[in-house]
Amino acid sequence: MAPDSGSPDHADRSQWMRTLALADPDWLENRWATLPDRPDFVHVRAPETGLVMVRGRMSGTGDPFNLGEMTMTRCSVRLRGGAVGHGYVRGRSQRHAELAAVFDALMQDPARRDGVAAAVIGPARRRHEQRQRAIAEAAAATRVEFFTLPREHA
Amino acid sequence: MYVAVKGGEAAIDAAHAALTKKRRGDPAVPDLSLEQIDQQLALAVDRVMLEGSVYDRELAALAVKQARGDLLEAIFLLRAYRTTLPRLAASLPLETGRMAVARRISATFKDLPGGQVLGATFDYTHRLLDFALAAAAPPAGDDGGGDAPAPAAAPDTAAAPPVSPPRVSDLVGRDGLIEPAQPSDPEPAPADLTRQPLRFPAGRDLRLQALARGDEGFLVSLAYSSQRGHGTIHPFAGEIRQGEVAVEIVPEELGFPVTIGTVAVTECEMFGQFTGSQGEPPRFTRGYGLTFGESERKAMAMAIVDRALRSAELGGSTGAPAQDVEFVLPHSDTVEASGFLQHLKLPHYVDFQSELEGLRRMHAGLAAAPPAAADKSDAPDDGTLP
């Protein structure tokens, strides 16, 4: 497939695709079910599950090495008379990848973008931020101050 | 050498039926769900994902269940399953500096920017069996008590640490007191053990991949042997951090990076013995451990063994087991090691019969020979008879 061109700013699209990938699949399904005017779509690429080789960096900041693989599912859809959307999600949920692709396609439609952003992307991002905050708070509660004791001279 | 045999189908079927029954145990006891294994035996799931080399909690939990809790068998199951899936992409290298940190400690600085964050740890527990856990499940919200006291007044959460504290090695590196860890330009594509067989000399990229999926017990013992003096590196736990990192890929049809999810990882930086050479001042060296999940012991062992395996290139000593890459890498994989060990259960009837026959002939020869002749028969034991 040729790279999509002329679509919204890459940074914006990258952000909402991230939000969709990090969202809970059941929650996304619920958003889809309550979405007004659900569009028809066809698969450009049917949902497919495979592996991504996850890489790390030597000593955290050096050259890359292969750490191990992770399951990933991808899917591409075309809305009727509309844009192509892609979904790439961790794990094996084909429905998650499909919904991510459909919402990605909807976000590229200027007529639908604000509605989908308000109903799906915004709330999904806030849910993710809330989870991150909970992790940070739990960690902060275990922050410790160590005191070194002076050595006793016998 | 083993030989092919035929037959036994009915007995093998019956053995597998027995396995199924034994796996389930007493039907009066509730069946374990994958969610229960994922949530309550999370570290077993972590180990299976790490050494099975596939990050997928549900698959790893299934493997643990199917293997009746035998983690090495579960790792084998996951490795076998991975061969059925296509490789769709390679990720950009994880940026562990941007980790959402759930635990972060350093044994090298008491006060460090971002602070020491203990997270959920077995450290400082008294290792006393907690019989409260044996009682009926406590109500939701109660953590079961145990010897981990409820945190006293949450220590100044107002001064919560930044989510991604700076690296300890950067603090040391600012003054040039540790070897740098910069990417090459351009960055080389890392070698991949799953695509090419292991060959020597093995670069650090290949070594780290092998260590990451290597057997925890083997690596802990090797690291211990190094600590006890067999190729010591005088390690300091510069930093250990645990948390979630985003995984990004660049899909070919998009051409820009997208996050596809997060992985929980543990990272350990060991600061090793300093070296210097003519023209270069002495400075600390680095050993690195990176693992899926909460696998702190493994990450620490990996970092020590990584540094030990770098000994030759850093101009250090060689010869200890932990420094010998041709010893460490081919023996670190649990699937290979346990497979070769267990192949001894396969029929070796022909080999054994021929050795048995040889022994019988020797015994017969000894019995027939006069005692004097037997005394001077110190010829090499090659199975032949005079």
Side-chain angles (χ1 to χ4, degrees):
Chain A
M1 270 178 265
D4 295 346
S5 57
S7 40
D9 187 50
H10 283 170
D12 287 348
R13 190 169 177 198
S14 178
Q15 274 306 313
W16 77 58
M17 289 184 76
R18 169 192 167 87
T19 301
L20 290 165
L22 294 174
D24 174 49
D26 292 338
W27 182 86
L28 272 188
E29 186 73 75
N30 177 272
R31 294 283 96 185
W32 172 249
T34 55
L35 192 77
D37 305 325
R38 286 196 295 275
D40 289 333
F41 62 88
V42 292
H43 288 148
V44 178
R45 177 162 57 203
E48 178 188 19
T49 297
L51 296 169
V52 172
M53 175 53 89
V54 178
R55 290 179 172 162
R57 289 188 181 281
M58 301 176 191
S59 298
T61 51
D63 279 336
F65 70 96
N66 289 312
L67 172 63
E69 286 162 314
M70 173 176 105
T71 51
M72 178 187 83
T73 303
R74 65 182 179 187
C75 177
S76 301
V77 301
R78 181 189 299 279
L79 304 187
R80 192 214 294 266
V84 171
H86 303 294
Y88 296 88
V89 300
R90 185 191 77 193
R92 289 169 298 120
S93 168
Q94 306 213 327
R95 183 63 175 157
H96 187 183
E98 186 178 57
L99 286 172
V102 173
F103 284 125
D104 175 46
L106 280 170
M107 284 295 286
Q108 292 173 69
D109 178 351
R112 302 291 306 262
R113 185 174 306 152
D114 289 348
V116 173
V120 184
I121 306 295
R125 184 175 301 145
R126 283 193 291 279
R127 281 168 60 90
H128 179 67
E129 285 165 358
Q130 229 164 44
R131 277 199 304 272
Q132 294 300 104
R133 229 182 352 261
I135 293 171
E137 279 168 13
T142 67
R143 192 179 183 190
V144 68
E145 301 292 342
F146 285 117
F147 301 97
T148 41
L149 302 177
R151 294 189 188 196
E152 286 185 28
H153 299 282
Chain B
M1 202 173 77
Y2 58 91
V3 294
V5 290
K6 287 171 68 171
E9 288 88 348
I12 290 171
D13 286 347
H16 291 169
L19 171 63
T20 304
K21 209 169 159 190
K22 209 146 189 204
R23 175 187 300 122
R24 178 59 184 88
D26 183 349
V29 176
D31 193 28
L32 260 181
S33 71
L34 299 190
E35 290 77 12
Q36 286 174 315
I37 295 171
D38 173 15
Q39 294 292 311
Q40 297 175 39
L41 299 177
L43 301 189
V45 170
D46 282 348
R47 180 167 180 192
V48 171
M49 292 198 302
L50 175 59
E51 294 180 31
S53 209
V54 179
Y55 193 100
D56 188 312
R57 298 198 70 83
E58 196 184 38
L59 288 178
L62 173 60
V64 169
K65 180 173 180 172
Q66 185 176 332
R68 303 178 61 208
D70 179 340
L71 298 190
L72 273 56
E73 179 72 17
I75 289 160
F76 193 172
L77 291 171
L78 196 56
R79 287 271 189 96
Y81 183 78
R82 89 162 262 292
T83 64
T84 67
L85 294 174
R87 169 85 60 86
L88 301 180
S91 82
L92 297 177
L94 299 178
E95 296 299 342
T96 51
R98 297 210 298 262
M99 185 186 298
V101 163
R103 168 168 169 80
R104 187 262 194 152
I105 57 168
S106 170
T108 52
F109 293 99
K110 184 165 63 71
D111 299 308
L112 72 168
Q116 308 249 8
V117 176
L118 297 181
T121 178
F122 292 127
D123 296 349
Y124 313 108
T125 63
H126 296 136
R127 268 71 181 214
L128 299 174
L129 274 181
D130 177 6
F131 289 95
L133 292 173
D142 179 354
D143 67 359
D147 59 6
D156 53 354
T157 35
V163 172
S164 300
R167 284 181 184 284
V168 174
S169 54
D170 287 348
L171 306 177
V172 186
R174 266 201 316 241
D175 304 323
L177 298 179
I178 193 166
E179 60 171 331
Q182 297 295 325
S184 313
D185 184 22
E187 288 182 5
D192 188 351
L193 261 185
T194 67
R195 294 299 170 93
Q196 309 111 14
L198 183 59
R199 288 219 180 82
F200 300 105
R204 193 175 175 211
D205 50 348
L206 204 59
R207 301 198 302 255
L208 286 170
Q209 183 183 14
L211 296 178
R213 68 206 320 248
D215 181 66
E216 177 173 323
F218 180 67
L219 294 182
V220 168
S221 292
L222 273 177
Y224 181 45
S225 75
S226 164
Q227 283 184 280
R228 290 191 65 249
H230 297 279
T232 185
I233 66 164
H234 300 291
F236 291 98
E239 182 168 9
I240 297 169
R241 49 170 81 189
Q242 278 176 9
E244 300 218 327
V245 193
V247 179
E248 293 179 299
I249 63 168
V250 180
E252 55 184 24
E253 60 269 32
L254 292 178
F256 58 85
V258 294
T259 297
I260 60 173
T262 58
V263 284
V265 295
T266 303
E267 182 182 46
C268 173
E269 275 215 86
M270 288 284 177
F271 299 164
Q273 199 163 42
F274 51 82
T275 58
S277 59
Q278 290 207 320
E280 279 200 59
R283 55 193 178 187
F284 284 113
T285 52
R286 300 173 188 245
Y288 188 63
L290 183 64
T291 64
F292 286 150
E294 295 172 50
S295 312
E296 189 164 282
R297 188 193 301 114
K298 166 74 179 276
M300 293 178 75
M302 177 176 170
I304 288 181
V305 176
D306 170 48
R307 173 59 187 81
L309 290 175
R310 299 182 62 217
S311 187
E313 71 202 39
L314 292 169
S317 63
T318 55
Q323 297 168 330
D324 184 348
V325 67
E326 295 191 31
F327 174 72
V328 174
L329 294 199
H331 300 126
S332 61
D333 189 83
T334 177
V335 175
E336 286 173 13
S338 119
F340 197 57
L341 175 75
Q342 295 203 66
H343 106 282
L344 290 174
K345 293 184 287 190
L346 292 169
H348 285 69
Y349 307 145
V350 176
D351 275 7
F352 185 73
Q353 285 303 320
S354 90
E355 296 207 1
L356 200 58
E357 207 48 46
L359 268 181
R360 283 196 176 116
R361 275 184 293 145
M362 280 188 270
H363 279 220
L366 288 174
D375 283 347
K376 60 179 182 182
S377 71
D378 54 357
D381 180 13
D382 60 359
T384 56
L385 289 167

